[in-house]
Amino acid sequence: MGVTTRLQSSVKGIPNRYIVLVIVFLALILLSLKGLSFTPDGLSMPLGITQSSVSHEVAEEAATHEVPVAPTVRKANATFIILCRNSELDGIIQSVREVEDRFNRDFNYPYVFLNDEPFTEEFKRRISVLSPSLMEFGVIPHDHWFQPSWINEETASAARKLMEMSNVIYGGSVSYRNMCRFNSGFFFRHPLVQKYRYYWRIEPNVHFHCNIPSDPFLYMQDHNKTYGFTISMYEFESTIRSLWQTVREYTSLHPEHVHPDNSMGFISQDNGKHYNLCHFWSNFEIADMDFWRSEAYMMFFEFLDSTGGFYYERWGDAPVHSIAASLFLPKDAIHFFDEIGYQHTPFTHCTRDIERWMNGRCSCDPGQSFDYNGYSCLRQWEAVAGRH
């Protein structure tokens, strides 16, 4: 039987329309195969276009669209400074945890912990897990912490006993006096701190009640601010009986250090004849250490220290810092951080600006803020600097 006869026999009974469809389908396959070539890696592409030419075109396309680089977060040269003891571990954990939750988890500023004795491994281990930020632990040099040998201990001891009998807070404490002197004239000289310009002082058992979405350090830097505070109040007069007279002696010797646009009105109601006892509460302060390291402040501190007032009385770092900032800085270099909700028991600052309070998701009660308490000096500051 011939081929024609067998084909006729095989297609016999199949409708013609199906035969036509099969022929058209086969023709389309042949036409598509003529326009393709097969590459060694199994990918097919139109004839006349090679892998190398495609790769070159892709490379040119990539070259015209640079891969975006993640922006660098701008930060100030700044650190947290925490003066504490091993026994204050739980209180420090609370403070650091709140600083991280309210601010530093978004900014990753480093921490410097200082102690008059070495921190334990347990202290460092438990603190270090709280933040990915750099944490450094330092020991305070002996001469920066302990009572100087030139202090007459008999006189100092008598002063402590008298204050203790008068129920002056920390009146009988030598270690408290060591701390006040250290914070007044030495913390910014510590080797771990020397590399930084700005600092934020943190103490054990404090609370931060509001989110802080913007960077206070950069605010200080960008707006030429030198000293920042949240709470101001009156000092105990019995602890600083000779301080103002000593300040007046210094300024009479060095009037060139007193800024013409100073904040004398914050610390005196009679143009400097008497000290009104107002000061910025220094357990919270954000400041520029270049000021403390300046000739004006260092000469001022050395003059105060030479009188022995830190030990013969109980001069605090808060009035010392506040008087120096008020006299030696222009008033617009001092800043009230109203947006930072802060508590150091028994006093709390909580913004009364409802928009700030809501945006900060503050946990404090504005009605309980210390700002306009009768013992607060915020009104005096606002009279000098104007309301914020």
Side-chain angles (χ1 to χ4, degrees), residues 155-173 176-177 236-242 308-316:
T155 303
S157 178
R160 293 196 300 271
K161 288 178 181 177
L162 183 60
M163 285 192 183
E164 205 166 16
M165 290 172 59
S166 302
N167 295 315
V168 175
I169 186 169
Y170 304 119
S173 173
Y176 187 82
R177 288 169 168 81
F236 297 108
E237 187 172 10
S238 59
T239 66
I240 54 165
R241 294 194 184 280
S242 67
F310 289 103
Y311 293 96
Y312 299 143
E313 297 181 18
R314 203 221 66 186
W315 294 354

Side-chain angles (χ1 to χ4, degrees), residues 19-297:
I19 296 172
V20 171
L21 287 173
V22 170
I23 294 171
V24 170
F25 180 70
L26 292 172
L28 289 173
I29 291 174
L30 290 172
L31 287 172
S32 64
L33 290 175
K34 286 183 178 181
L36 295 175
S37 65
F38 291 91
T39 61
D41 60 4
L43 297 175
S44 60
M45 57 188 68
L47 290 173
I49 302 179
T50 65
Q51 272 189 299
S52 59
S53 64
V54 171
S55 300
H56 182 68
E57 289 176 7
V58 171
E60 286 184 341
E61 179 76 10
T64 59
H65 297 83
E66 294 183 1
V67 178
V69 177
T72 301
V73 177
R74 193 168 71 95
K75 294 171 64 176
N77 177 22
T79 185
F80 297 103
I81 296 180
I82 302 179
L83 176 65
C84 59
R85 290 192 168 91
N86 289 302
S87 59
E88 295 173 306
L89 175 59
D90 290 340
I92 288 298
I93 287 175
Q94 174 198 291
S95 299
V96 172
R97 182 68 271 158
E98 292 195 22
V99 169
E100 286 295 310
D101 291 345
R102 289 299 196 174
F103 169 71
N104 203 46
R105 65 181 178 182
D106 296 323
F107 294 90
N108 297 311
Y109 278 102
Y111 292 82
V112 174
F113 296 86
L114 299 177
N115 193 349
D116 63 318
E117 60 184 24
F119 286 103
T120 65
E121 291 304 312
E122 172 71 1
F123 185 99
K124 291 187 282 188
R125 182 181 67 84
R126 292 191 59 195
I127 289 293
S128 297
V129 301
L130 299 177
S131 172
S133 298
L134 173 67
M135 291 185 171
E136 296 181 284
F137 302 85
V139 177
I140 299 168
H142 184 278
D143 292 346
H144 289 186
W145 182 260
F146 292 99
Q147 179 176 300
S149 59
W150 50 263
I151 291 291
N152 184 317
E153 176 53 26
E154 184 177 349
T155 303
S157 178
R160 293 196 300 271
K161 288 178 181 177
L162 183 60
M163 285 192 183
E164 205 166 16
M165 290 172 59
S166 302
N167 295 315
V168 175
I169 186 169
Y170 304 119
S173 173
V174 176
S175 64
Y176 187 82
R177 288 169 168 81
N178 292 341
M179 180 193 71
C180 290
R181 179 172 177 263
F182 173 76
N183 281 328
S184 294
F186 294 98
F187 80 92
F188 48 88
R189 305 191 223 182
H190 193 280
L192 292 180
V193 177
Q194 283 282 357
K195 57 182 172 285
Y196 298 110
R197 178 176 175 182
Y198 297 95
Y199 73 100
W200 181 337
R201 178 170 161 181
I202 305 290
E203 293 205 348
N205 297 301
V206 297
H207 296 284
F208 292 90
H209 288 294
C210 305
N211 290 342
I212 308 170
S214 58
D215 187 338
F217 293 124
L218 282 180
Y219 180 87
M220 299 282 287
Q221 177 178 293
D222 294 345
H223 294 84
N224 296 315
K225 303 296 182 182
T226 301
Y227 190 87
F229 72 99
T230 57
I231 294 175
S232 59
M233 62 177 64
Y234 294 99
E235 181 60 293
F236 297 108
E237 187 172 10
S238 59
T239 66
I240 54 165
R241 294 194 184 280
S242 67
L243 176 59
W244 188 248
Q245 181 58 39
T246 308
V247 170
R248 293 189 67 186
E249 290 173 12
Y250 177 80
T251 56
S252 67
L253 292 171
H254 297 283
E256 72 277 9
H257 290 161
V258 178
H259 199 282
D261 189 29
N262 61 58
S263 304
M264 176 69 84
F266 173 64
I267 55 177
S268 177
Q269 264 59 67
D270 55 12
N271 199 33
K273 290 182 181 178
H274 301 90
Y275 178 35
N276 65 8
L277 307 180
C278 280
H279 67 276
F280 306 118
W281 211 22
S282 60
N283 50 68
F284 171 101
E285 56 186 7
I286 300 175
D288 183 346
M289 287 184 282
D290 282 356
F291 175 58
W292 308 135
R293 295 163 180 153
S294 69
E295 180 184 45
Y297 183 79

